[in-house]
Amino acid sequence: MKVPLRWLEDYVDISLPIEELTRKLTFAGLEVEALRYVGLPLPENPERLEAKVAGLEWDPETVVVGEVVEVRPHPDADRLVLADLRLGTEQLTSVTGAPNLFPYRGQGPLAEPLTVAVALPGARLIDSKTGEPRRFEPATIRGTLSAAMICSERELDISEAHEGVILFGPGSAALETPEPGTPLADFIGDVVLDIAVTPNMVRTASIVGVAREVAALTGSELRLPSLDVEMTGPPTADMIRIDIRRPDLNPRFTATLLDGIEIGPSPYWLQLRLLLAGMRPISNIVDLTNYVMLELGQPLHAFDYDVLVERARASGSEVPTIITRMPDPGERLETLDGVDRAIDDFTILVTDEMGALALGGIMGGGESEISDSTTRVLLEAAAWNFINIRRSTQAQQLSSEAGYRFSRGVHPADAPRGNLRAIELMRQLAGGTVYQGLVDVYPQPHHDSVVEMPFGEVERALGIEIPREEVIRILEALEFGALDDGDMLRVTAPDHRLDIGEGVIGIADLMEEISRIYGYERIPETQIEDAIPPQKGNPELETEEAVRDLLVDLGLQEVVTYRLTTPEREARARKTGSEPDARPFVELKKPISEDRRVMRHELLPSVLEIAETNARRDGLAIFEIGQVFLAQEGEDLPEEPRRLAIVMAGLGERGNWSRGEPKELDFYDLKGTLDGLAEDLHLEDCVFEAAEHPTFHPGRCARLRVGGEEIGVFGELHPRVRAAYDVPFARVLAADLDLEKLQAAIPERYPVHGISSFPPVVEDLALVVDDGVTAAAVESCISRAAGDLLRAVELFDHFRGEQIGEGKKSLAYRLTYQSDDRTLTDQEVAAVRQQVVAAVEQQLGGRLRS
């Protein structure tokens, strides 16, 4: 929000230096991001300001106000004129080609001189061609000396316009035109504050809104613009009807009518204010709708009333009816920006009986806009549902000043104020007669919040005692109603605030208002006196982070992928001919692109796409923890279980002198990673079993069970699945695990052995079992049989051959025994060994290999 200081001072007296004003506004939540000096001297130490500083200073001796007393033809150039200037007692001639001076050529001395901006020799200006600063020097142009220069906005760094020179008059009496020779900076010099308006403070997206804050911060009086209107025409209610069909989306609609106007340029004081506030002047009526929007924060829209009458007659009525409603199927509207728009079914429209006229609260339509031939204006000011406006602006990808404000919330009480203010200014600047009465349809009145706040809450919440009188002064300065009722303060929100809640939320909102106006920087640091709330852990988050950290320690890299995909992209992770995923997807009504139109069912396809994108690497080992989205019958929201997906491919760790050359990762590398994760999470009864899955290679797929519960599957991708992804690796390994089941299996407590001071005993044991017996089952049997003396068991050899018989295999384990309180004897170790062999024989049908 760009705020010219001169405009701001219309509503509040400012005696503070600009640096102090900037500091106060920033601390109060209105961060001043930049200061633009228009003609005035720049600060000596701009680095002391936390805002960016820019601008062009006008030398008071060489950039002054002048009067054009006569415009004469140039004797030797048809495209130039000679402008005779009066600068106090001095008279000079300027040679110029400004097109807006040509209408005065050859008229002789002007009855009413034209007030202009004049640069004298040595003046520092902006070159209109290069945009760089330069000094003006007199020059002879086609045989005539140009001793002074009449300036355009570009040369004074006001705007980019340089087609004509600035004409302050006639018609600029609002600027109180000074005597010729007065420094131009004293006339229109200004400082523009560029304020970052946060979404919760849209009430300050207006000059009066900022003035209200300044008044509260400085103790000055706020002067609101007059809403008095000279209404002498027939009743407005006889000329227009309003029909609101969705009060929840359009709670209020107001209209006034002005007849007999003359469209033309705005006076320069109005144009200048709009330019400094960042808006382009167009015509007096359009400019005034923008002016009042910037002044009061209420967006307005002006319709050509005669166009509405013609449309009404075409529909069989003499009186136009403005209707706010939802769109008909297939309805379209060409907006003021020239775009023919398809209207979404949730976007509220301003229409008549013939069709759409405007996107409610966002932008008008081209057919009923103000034109040079307009003589009657219907002025509309309304209130709109901010959520609906925000949704519509995003869907249409349409940004406008009106949409910006309405999408953040404009109070319905602002509608009649904005309408009355604007229609009177239009009458003054464009002429005409205002019809009697404001048509105001208000089917859903807004009830302002009332908050009962204990006085003691101020000290309790802020940690500082603020006098009762100061609290009431702050609230009343912000236009809150504050009724002192002993220990309780009854506060009523003003009728321009939508952000004040009720109950405890309302009290918190009032604390914010009091503290920011009192001054955050004035609140000392103190220790909290309230009881500290009980500290509660978040086991789900903690275990999820533990899984992340452990996988990184195991050499994997985390990735984060889009949650949006397509059914076709997910289907790539299943081999051709397998049963398709028949579950319904959660579909987006407005997808950002065609390949991001549904929420994913599975996590593994997303991670495989990352592997595909990074396939040029020698090897990769990545994982992701994320949600999938499963539609639930009869429920609005999907189920969102969390999954863990791992993908490994290519070469493992780089080779070196001790390890030799790196090898390609295989099934057992992935199994070892999962085994290491299970061990670090202290999972009990962890079993790997052979499995089949349409994503994985037959015979190279396994499932992970913990405590009998299936956690997920892993293995080498099926060749057809691997072929669906553009990867150069001969093998791609993947795992798809249920993270929530994995977390549920993590024990809260687990036994920890201290470091024993007694030596361990290590022995190797080879056991012959049937081919169908898994190594995990043998290891589990050994662990149970050996008891507490067994500290570690490791499989280090696997053998099949004629020596041990057909259908048999030999598994060699290294067992480590150790006690915490003694050195184990050979007899103790032999007894444990016998227990182990006996258990393997009885439970698994195995035997000790001789």
Side-chain angles (χ1 to χ4, degrees):
M1 177 71 190
K2 292 179 171 59
V3 180
L5 199 59
R6 282 180 181 265
W7 194 357
L8 186 65
E9 289 177 322
D10 281 358
Y11 314 112
V12 62
D13 293 329
I14 301 174
S15 57
L16 299 174
I18 189 66
E19 294 83 357
E20 180 64 14
L21 177 64
T22 297
R23 190 189 67 83
K24 280 185 172 291
L25 286 172
T26 298
F27 269 100
L30 286 77
E31 182 184 359
V32 180
E33 294 184 316
L35 291 170
R36 179 188 172 199
Y37 284 76
V38 182
L40 298 179
L42 274 65
E44 294 182 1
N45 299 305
E47 64 277 359
R48 293 173 55 188
L49 295 167
E50 295 187 1
K52 296 180 181 178
V53 177
L56 175 70
E57 181 181 350
W58 303 331
D59 185 343
E61 299 295 328
T62 57
V63 182
V64 298
V65 177
E67 287 185 340
V68 177
V69 295
E70 185 176 359
V71 180
R72 296 178 288 121
H74 192 289
D76 196 27
D78 292 338
R79 296 185 180 181
L80 298 175
V81 294
L82 307 180
D84 292 334
L85 297 169
R86 181 167 61 208
L87 307 173
T89 59
E90 186 179 9
Q91 291 201 7
L92 300 172
T93 297
S94 174
V95 180
T96 176
N100 54 343
L101 289 180
F102 275 65
Y104 303 96
R105 180 176 55 178
Q107 295 183 9
L110 300 176
E112 189 171 355
L114 305 175
T115 304
V116 294
V118 178
L120 299 175
R124 188 168 180 265
L125 304 172
I126 299 296
D127 191 301
S128 60
K129 294 181 180 179
T130 66
E132 298 297 326
R134 69 178 180 90
R135 297 282 181 183
F136 168 71
E137 296 296 340
T140 299
I141 303 175
R142 301 296 291 268
T144 302
L145 176 66
S146 183
M149 178 179 181
I150 305 176
C151 298
S152 68
E153 291 171 353
R154 178 68 179 124
E155 286 145 353
L156 294 173
D157 201 27
I158 293 175
S159 78
E160 296 298 319
H162 59 86
E163 293 78 12
V165 296
I166 298 173
L167 297 180
F168 296 112
S172 295
L175 285 172
E176 298 180 0
T177 307
E179 291 295 321
T182 301
L184 185 64
D186 294 346
F187 182 29
I188 62 168
D190 212 336
V191 179
V192 181
L193 287 69
D194 195 345
I195 297 175
V197 178
T198 55
N200 65 319
M201 294 188 72
V202 71
R203 64 186 183 276
T204 61
S206 67
I207 305 298
V208 168
V210 176
R212 185 180 289 113
E213 298 289 319
V214 173
L217 290 166
T218 63
S220 299
E221 180 183 355
L222 177 66
R223 298 183 295 273
L224 295 174
S226 171
L227 301 182
D228 295 335
V229 183
E230 183 181 307
M231 295 181 173
T232 58
T236 310
D238 294 341
M239 308 299 292
I240 190 71
R241 297 186 180 93
I242 308 296
D243 180 8
I244 297 177
R245 298 181 182 176
R246 285 294 300 270
D248 56 324
L249 302 182
N250 173 212
R252 191 171 198 175
F253 197 101
T254 69
T256 52
L257 185 60
L258 179 62
D259 188 6
I261 65 165
E262 183 177 345
I263 300 294
S266 298
Y268 193 74
W269 67 266
L270 176 56
Q271 294 187 40
L272 180 61
R273 286 187 169 183
L274 290 178
L275 286 168
L276 296 184
M279 302 198 75
R280 180 175 59 89
I282 298 173
S283 68
N284 47 11
I285 297 298
V286 176
D287 291 351
L288 282 169
T289 62
N290 290 328
Y291 180 84
V292 173
M293 178 188 67
L294 293 173
E295 180 185 52
L296 297 179
Q298 171 65 46
L300 305 156
H301 185 69
F303 295 96
D304 187 321
Y305 181 73
D306 289 315
V307 173
L308 300 181
V309 170
E310 289 179 11
R311 289 167 62 95
R313 288 173 179 168
S315 66
S317 174
E318 289 297 320
V319 178
T321 299
I322 297 294
I323 305 167
T324 59
R325 60 168 173 80
M326 306 312 289
D328 296 329
E331 194 163 10
R332 304 184 70 88
L333 173 68
E334 183 177 328
T335 46
L336 289 173
D337 57 0
V339 178
D340 182 29
R341 299 181 182 275
I343 310 302
D344 301 281
D345 59 2
F346 52 79
T347 297
I348 190 163
L349 296 175
V350 179
T351 73
D352 60 8
E353 295 292 352
M354 294 296 292
L357 295 169
L359 298 177
I362 302 174
M363 185 175 286
E367 184 177 353
S368 58
E369 70 175 318
I370 301 299
S371 66
D372 292 343
S373 60
T374 299
T375 59
R376 292 195 289 179
V377 169
L378 179 76
L379 183 63
E380 164 257 308
W384 308 94
N385 178 282
F386 75 96
I387 295 176
N388 183 264
I389 298 298
R390 184 182 306 166
R391 184 182 181 191
S392 297
T393 55
Q394 292 175 348
Q396 291 290 338
Q397 297 183 351
L398 176 59
S399 118
S400 68
E401 290 287 339
Y404 168 81
R405 288 165 173 80
F406 280 129
S407 67
R408 287 158 175 78
V410 178
H411 199 292
D414 286 329
R417 289 193 284 257
N419 204 320
L420 294 173
R421 171 67 170 163
I423 202 71
E424 175 60 17
L425 288 175
M426 289 179 182
R427 185 195 67 80
Q428 293 176 13
L429 299 185
T433 301
V434 180
Y435 279 52
Q436 293 184 42
L438 171 79
V439 176
D440 186 359
V441 180
Y442 198 5
Q444 192 163 310
H446 179 81
H447 300 287
D448 294 316
S449 301
V450 177
V451 183
E452 293 192 349
M453 182 185 74
F455 265 108
E457 184 68 15
V458 177
E459 183 175 358
R460 191 202 72 81
L462 303 183
I464 183 174
E465 183 178 356
I466 301 178
R468 179 187 299 252
E469 297 76 15
E470 178 66 5
V471 171
I472 294 175
R473 183 204 73 79
I474 289 173
L475 292 173
E476 290 181 342
L478 293 171
E479 300 185 8
F480 286 85
L483 178 61
D484 189 350
D485 189 15
D487 292 336
M488 192 71 68
L489 189 64
R490 184 179 176 85
V491 181
T492 304
D495 65 357
H496 62 271
R497 297 287 294 267
L498 292 174
D499 60 318
I500 304 299
E502 294 185 335
V504 294
I505 295 177
I507 292 175
D509 291 336
L510 295 180
M511 290 301 106
E512 179 185 358
E513 297 302 299
I514 293 167
S515 57
R516 69 185 187 83
I517 299 300
Y518 180 78
Y520 290 125
E521 71 279 14
R522 296 173 62 189
I523 300 177
E525 294 182 6
T526 58
Q527 292 293 326
I528 187 170
E529 293 185 1
D530 277 3
I532 297 177
Q535 301 299 299
K536 297 181 180 179
N538 186 340
E540 286 189 359
L541 178 61
E542 292 167 3
T543 53
E544 182 179 312
E545 289 301 315
V547 171
R548 277 194 174 90
D549 294 341
L550 291 173
L551 288 172
V552 171
D553 290 343
L554 289 167
L556 278 73
Q557 181 178 357
E558 185 178 12
V559 298
V560 179
T561 62
Y562 285 106
R563 300 180 180 191
L564 304 175
T565 184
T566 64
E568 295 78 16
R569 290 168 67 174
E570 285 217 343
R572 290 203 296 166
R574 291 174 178 266
K575 69 177 182 180
T576 306
S578 64
E579 186 177 340
D581 186 354
R583 298 170 298 178
F585 282 89
V586 178
E587 297 185 11
L588 274 66
K589 286 187 176 181
K590 291 287 183 180
I592 57 176
S593 65
E594 186 59 26
D595 61 347
R596 304 284 180 202
R597 66 179 189 269
V598 300
M599 307 294 285
R600 66 189 178 194
H601 272 175
E602 300 179 24
L603 183 60
L604 182 57
S606 301
V607 183
L608 286 171
E609 290 180 4
I610 297 297
E612 182 180 36
T613 305
N614 293 272
R616 293 191 177 187
R617 300 168 61 173
D618 291 337
L620 55 85
I622 56 178
F623 75 94
E624 180 177 10
I625 292 175
Q627 294 163 300
V628 296
F629 302 86
L630 308 177
Q632 303 181 82
E633 186 174 354
E635 298 290 338
D636 291 334
L637 297 177
E639 185 183 2
E640 301 181 19
R642 287 168 297 139
R643 308 286 298 182
L644 165 62
I646 299 174
V647 173
M648 301 169 63
L651 299 179
E653 292 184 284
R654 291 181 178 179
N656 58 35
W657 66 271
S658 64
R659 285 198 299 265
E661 290 299 317
K663 69 179 186 68
E664 187 173 4
L665 297 170
D666 60 20
F667 174 89
Y668 294 102
D669 290 293
L670 177 57
K671 179 178 179 295
T673 298
L674 295 177
D675 208 7
L677 177 64
E679 181 179 351
D680 290 339
L681 292 175
H682 309 283
L683 301 182
E684 300 173 354
D685 193 16
C686 182
V687 177
F688 296 95
E689 299 176 347
E692 291 186 4
H693 191 278
T695 299
F696 296 101
H697 195 301
R700 301 177 191 175
C701 173
R703 68 172 58 90
L704 170 62
R705 290 186 181 274
V706 179
E709 183 78 27
E710 182 174 336
I711 304 300
V713 294
F714 67 96
E716 181 181 327
L717 285 188
H718 194 285
R720 292 178 182 173
V721 174
R722 189 188 70 231
Y725 293 89
D726 186 15
V727 292
F729 308 114
R731 287 191 292 261
V732 177
L733 312 165
D736 186 9
L737 308 180
D738 187 324
L739 181 67
E740 294 175 357
K741 288 184 179 180
L742 182 66
Q743 290 176 295
I746 300 174
E748 292 185 9
R749 295 179 177 84
Y750 51 88
V752 176
H753 293 282
I755 299 176
S756 176
S757 58
F758 297 94
V761 176
V762 180
E763 71 171 3
D764 295 340
L765 203 63
L767 300 169
V768 178
V769 294
D770 291 339
D771 260 338
V773 177
T774 64
V778 177
E779 184 176 327
S780 177
C781 182
I782 293 173
S783 298
R784 290 194 301 269
D788 293 339
L789 291 180
L790 181 67
R791 294 299 170 85
V793 54
E794 178 186 359
L795 175 68
F796 69 88
D797 188 39
H798 176 269
F799 175 75
R800 285 185 177 88
E802 296 178 357
Q803 298 91 326
I804 58 175
E806 186 178 352
K808 300 289 184 179
K809 63 182 176 183
S810 172
L811 301 176
Y813 291 90
R814 180 158 294 137
L815 280 58
T816 302
Y817 308 103
Q818 192 172 33
S819 172
D820 292 331
D821 56 8
R822 67 188 185 282
T823 300
L824 295 177
T825 64
D826 292 343
Q827 292 79 5
E828 289 178 299
V829 173
V832 174
R833 183 190 314 115
Q834 290 174 2
Q835 293 174 8
V836 169
V837 174
V840 170
E841 290 176 350
Q842 295 169 10
Q843 299 174 24
L844 303 177
R847 60 181 173 82
L848 183 66
R849 182 180 175 184
S850 58

